[in-house]
């Protein structure tokens, strides 16, 4: 699990992964990493994880926003997470078969389509894996533009995805990318 933006969802996913691990003893353990760019929310999430006894279950990373440039030359402010993601993948016992990417940051006030870099950042790291991408706050125009752009780019790259729109509080878009 790779999460951009941390909070209550970080703890809930850690608890869910713990329950799943108990049922699937023979599988490789799941890895959960959450990137947070603001010290306040990083500390808040860390405290919640510690209170629940789950601090060791999540690799919570304070990852300030850094300049990131898209293939088209558009500038974004996004988590400086690539070195950490690469290190996690190198330490994996084998190829990653399946991943969940939760995109709940950075916030909209960091710039237009602020969450767009999430998919281009993780695709090279998760090469060959089946990937589910959950884009939160999809009721906002910016996130709708981001998901449309992702779908078009995936289609053009020969890796089409199926999109569904779960009825969450602020809307969501779930993209399913098959292994390949």
């Amino acid at each position: 699990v790779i999460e951009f933006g941390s909070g209550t969802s970080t703890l809930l996913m850690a608890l869910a992964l713990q329950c799943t691990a108990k049922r699937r003893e023979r599988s490789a353990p799941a890895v959960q990493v959450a990137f947070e760019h603001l010290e306040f929310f990083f500390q808040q999430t860390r405290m919640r994880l510690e209170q629940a006894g789950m601090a060791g279950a999540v690799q919570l990373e304070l990852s300030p926003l850094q300049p990131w440039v898209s293939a088209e030359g558009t500038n974004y402010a996004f988590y400086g997470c690539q070195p950490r993601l690469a290190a996690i993948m190198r330490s994996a016992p084998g190829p990653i078969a399946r991943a969940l990417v939760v995109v709940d940051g950075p916030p909209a006030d960091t710039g237009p389509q602020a969450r767009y870099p999430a998919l281009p950042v993780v695709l090279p790291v998760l090469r060959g894996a089946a990937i589910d991408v959950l884009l939160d706050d999809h009721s906002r125009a910016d996130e709708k533009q981001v998901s449309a752009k992702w779908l078009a780019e995936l289609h053009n790259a020969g890796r089409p995805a199926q999109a569904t729109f779960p009825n969450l509080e602020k809307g969501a878009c779930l993209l399913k990318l098959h292994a390949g």
Side-chain angles (χ1 to χ4, degrees):
V1 175
I2 300 169
E3 186 178 14
F4 296 109
S6 71
T8 303
S9 60
T10 307
L11 174 59
L12 293 174
M13 280 188 283
L15 293 167
L17 288 173
Q18 182 182 53
C19 289
T20 302
K22 289 177 183 176
R23 290 188 306 236
R24 296 175 35 185
E25 295 175 15
R26 293 187 187 115
S27 308
V31 174
Q32 180 181 357
V33 61
F35 296 100
E36 179 56 60
H37 73 286
L38 294 173
E39 177 79 26
F40 174 80
F41 292 111
F42 173 82
Q43 295 297 343
Q44 186 179 55
T45 301
R46 189 173 76 176
M47 183 182 68
R48 286 180 180 162
L49 290 167
E50 288 171 356
Q51 288 172 342
M54 299 299 294
V58 178
Q59 297 176 38
L60 181 61
E61 303 284 336
L62 182 60
S63 183
L65 299 181
Q66 298 177 349
W68 184 87
V69 181
S70 72
E72 299 83 34
T74 305
N75 291 302
Y76 296 89
F78 198 70
Y79 303 93
C81 61
Q82 288 97 330
R84 186 67 187 121
L85 284 174
I88 291 167
M89 296 307 142
R90 280 193 307 273
S91 68
I96 305 298
R98 179 160 209 82
L100 170 63
V101 179
V102 178
V103 186
D104 195 16
D109 65 2
T110 60
Q113 298 181 5
R115 297 176 181 181
Y116 167 76
L119 190 59
V121 163
V122 300
L123 279 177
V125 175
L126 298 172
R127 189 171 290 118
I131 307 169
D132 293 329
V133 181
L134 181 66
L135 176 61
D136 197 18
D137 305 314
H138 200 259
S139 61
R140 300 191 301 217
D142 235 27
E143 276 62 30
K144 288 178 181 171
Q145 292 168 358
V146 167
S147 66
K149 189 172 183 177
W150 285 346
L151 285 165
E153 289 176 359
L154 289 164
H155 178 77
N156 292 340
R159 192 165 182 194
Q162 293 79 41
T164 56
F165 304 93
N167 188 18
L168 300 180
E169 180 184 1
K170 298 177 188 172
C173 176
L174 177 63
L175 299 182
K176 290 191 163 291
L177 289 76
H178 297 287

